[in-house]
Amino acid sequence: MFKHCVLILAFVIALPSFAVEPDEILDDPILETRARDISANVRCVVCQNEPIDSSNAGVARDLRLLIRERLVAGDSDDQVYDFLVARYGDYVLFKPPWRPSTYLLWLAPFLILGGGIIGMVYALMRKPQNPHAGLNADEQAQLDELIGSNNEGDAT
């Protein structure tokens, strides 16, 4: 029974906690939905790989409030994104735009994968043809004797 309680508690703790506080939620459900959609695509500048919608950082709260203020003022989603990028740079977006300043960001996974494949091919090509090349004459004679004795034992 105790194990079940611990397991349930672990699942409850592991559930994602949404940091949007009740005083942040807009009265207009359409604007609130737009704010949530935008917040899900904006990176917390403190937490780095967490959307501001689920971050408890103070700056994430400020960004959530800022997004809601801009939407209430009549900004479109693109205008809100442009405002955030102008203030924090492309880094604030989970999907930064394709432009010269972000080419490396977009291409880095492919470059790393290609480098890994080239490294593996190079390592396999460098594999020595004769695995016994580093043996001296006495060691080679002992190895030949061992291999010969094993082959004779297999034949009988």
Side-chain angles (χ1 to χ4, degrees):
M1 181 68 179
F2 179 73
K3 290 180 184 179
H4 296 296
C5 292
V6 171
L7 186 62
I8 290 170
L9 181 62
F11 281 125
V12 169
I13 291 172
L15 289 174
S17 61
F18 294 102
V20 177
E21 297 175 15
D23 63 330
E24 296 175 31
I25 297 174
L26 296 173
D27 294 333
D28 184 352
I30 295 171
L31 286 180
E32 181 61 27
T33 302
R34 285 178 54 203
R36 291 288 179 112
D37 290 342
I38 293 171
S39 295
N41 294 314
V42 175
R43 179 189 322 265
C44 175
V45 294
V46 174
C47 309
Q48 296 182 2
N49 284 331
E50 187 176 2
I52 62 170
D53 209 28
S54 59
S55 173
N56 288 321
V59 77
R61 175 180 165 76
D62 293 343
L63 285 172
R64 289 191 302 266
L65 291 172
L66 178 69
I67 288 170
R68 284 166 173 77
E69 286 173 14
R70 305 284 302 186
L71 291 175
V72 169
D75 285 2
S76 69
D77 293 2
D78 289 336
Q79 289 172 323
V80 173
Y81 285 124
D82 291 343
F83 179 81
L84 293 172
V85 168
R87 192 175 228 186
Y88 296 99
D90 289 327
Y91 175 75
V92 77
L93 302 177
F94 276 115
K95 285 187 172 183
W98 177 258
R99 62 175 84 159
S101 63
T102 61
Y103 286 165
L104 184 61
L105 181 65
W106 281 100
L107 298 176
F110 302 107
L111 294 173
I112 292 170
L113 178 65
I117 291 171
I118 290 170
M120 286 177 29
V121 168
Y122 180 72
L124 292 173
M125 299 290 284
R126 287 193 40 173
K127 185 177 175 184
Q129 298 300 324
N130 182 2
H132 311 296
L135 300 177
N136 63 30
D138 291 337
E139 293 170 335
Q140 186 65 46
Q142 287 177 348
L143 183 61
D144 290 341
E145 183 181 323
L146 287 172
I147 292 173
S149 67
N150 280 342
N151 288 340
E152 291 171 7
D154 291 340
T156 57

